[in-house]
Amino acid sequence: RSPVPAPQALEDQYSPSRWSPRLDRDAVIQAHLAATAAGTQRARASAQTSLHVPYGDGEREKLDIYFPAEHCGTFPLLVYIHGGYWQCLSKDESGFAALPLVSQGVAVVAVGYDTAPKGHMDAMVLQVRRSLAFLVQQYSGIRGIFLCGHSAGAHLAAMVLSTDWTEYGVVPDIKGAVLVSGVYDLEPILHTYVNDALSMSREVAQRNSPMLCISPAVPAATGCEVLVAVAQHDSPEFRRQSQEYGQALRAAGWSVSLLDLAGVDHFDIIEKLSEESYVLTQVGEELLPSL
């Protein structure tokens, strides 16, 4: 394992907005909010939607579902889990990836979950797992599930890959996961401002670190393609985390591709999923079964 940087260096390493060459820190975050919100509005205007579908009783335990026009009740499903360092953003600006996908016959779900300080790490992981179990029970025509998460959402998607589904009464048919600029070891987060809202103990961080929860690939998992993507202008720590997690999954027998995307930062690496021509959109579409 690589040495952990000193505390102030860690603060910088885990502040993704400091690493963008495009804009200053506040501007890059504002631009991200604007881009994802605009993409979501476009998707809502052009897709058939079921918004705010409850998968549980909690205030934020809701899903936004974007259906393809011609689906006859059967479709592959992409489940998108938003980032925001487990403490901001929501499903409401997380439908931006739907536009190119629904036109390809794929349904897209944006998952809501309780962010900190209300939500605790254990609870968020549980909510995302429960949302998948709900979808499988609710829609019998799903032909394979694909996970996509960005930043903190990539962490939650990776935790879904480590789920013991026996407790849920269903086994989702997860065919692939696109993990974008994620955090897979929560230990360094304990020493940064990010934990102020999360209040994680070391035990909670360990229990919810995908890096420490990798199960050997069971036969079902060998058919699951995992794509670990990272941006050229992510911080060295974010890049290290992606590389080490991808290698650890591969060592456990999972099918993993590492994608290092040039010319993008922590934010536009995911925003561009609203564009048909974007490399990550196209790679994601290749992961989906031939429709």
Side-chain angles (χ1 to χ4, degrees):
R1 292 194 40 161
S2 311
V4 173
Q8 183 50 49
L10 263 188
E11 293 273 315
D12 290 341
Q13 289 284 337
Y14 287 95
S15 302
S17 55
R18 293 190 177 186
W19 298 84
S20 171
R22 290 184 295 145
L23 297 160
D24 71 33
R25 296 182 61 183
D26 292 338
V28 79
I29 290 171
Q30 289 310 313
H32 182 61
L33 294 173
T36 53
T40 300
Q41 287 311 111
R42 286 197 300 276
R44 286 185 177 182
S46 61
Q48 298 177 18
T49 57
S50 292
L51 303 178
H52 319 304
V53 176
Y55 66 86
D57 301 327
E59 186 191 345
R60 280 202 163 197
E61 293 184 348
K62 296 188 171 70
L63 308 169
D64 287 348
I65 308 175
Y66 299 78
F67 291 102
E70 313 283 321
H71 64 76
C72 315
T74 63
F75 42 76
L77 183 69
L78 179 106
V79 177
Y80 180 78
I81 306 166
H82 70 79
Y85 255 159
W86 307 277
Q87 54 200 283
C88 48
L89 299 180
S90 73
K91 69 173 179 55
D92 300 333
E93 61 282 307
S94 299
F96 56 91
L99 210 49
L101 291 171
V102 290
S103 65
Q104 302 273 339
V106 181
V108 175
V109 173
V111 179
Y113 55 90
D114 282 318
T115 46
K118 183 181 180 214
H120 297 281
M121 190 59 74
D122 288 323
M124 292 183 233
V125 169
L126 183 60
Q127 283 175 322
V128 173
R129 288 169 169 167
R130 278 187 16 241
S131 75
L132 255 81
F134 168 84
L135 284 162
V136 173
Q137 285 156 340
Q138 203 67 13
Y139 298 98
S140 57
I142 295 174
R143 291 191 294 124
I145 293 175
F146 298 80
L147 301 171
C148 178
H150 172 239
S151 197
H155 159 267
L156 292 170
M159 287 302 291
V160 170
L161 293 180
S162 73
T163 307
D164 173 2
W165 291 106
T166 50
E167 302 159 42
Y168 295 84
V170 294
V171 181
D173 180 18
I174 300 174
K175 299 270 194 207
V178 180
L179 308 175
V180 184
S181 294
V183 178
Y184 308 104
D185 174 9
L186 299 183
E187 161 74 28
I189 297 288
L190 293 172
H191 313 288
T192 70
Y193 69 95
V194 182
N195 201 37
D196 296 350
L198 294 169
S199 308
M200 284 189 295
S201 65
R202 176 158 276 104
E203 291 69 39
V204 169
Q206 288 176 340
R207 183 162 68 230
N208 292 292
S209 285
M211 193 70 183
L212 303 178
C213 307
I214 295 173
S215 48
V218 291
T222 53
C224 173
E225 298 277 335
V226 182
L227 176 65
V228 181
V230 69
Q232 177 185 356
H233 301 298
D234 264 316
S235 75
E237 269 290 279
F238 267 87
R239 292 173 58 79
R240 174 189 72 78
Q241 286 235 11
S242 286
Q243 200 166 7
E244 290 185 2
Y245 180 60
Q247 287 166 345
L249 271 182
R250 194 178 278 158
W254 290 72
S255 174
V256 181
S257 311
L258 279 158
L259 192 59
D260 192 336
L261 287 171
V264 285
D265 60 38
H266 187 82
F267 302 95
D268 59 354
I269 187 175
I270 197 77
E271 292 161 16
K272 290 174 185 278
L273 275 185
S274 61
E275 301 168 13
E276 180 62 60
S277 60
Y278 178 46
V279 57
L280 200 53
T281 312
Q282 293 180 336
V283 170
E285 285 172 359
E286 280 168 26
L287 270 186
L288 296 160
S290 51
L291 303 171

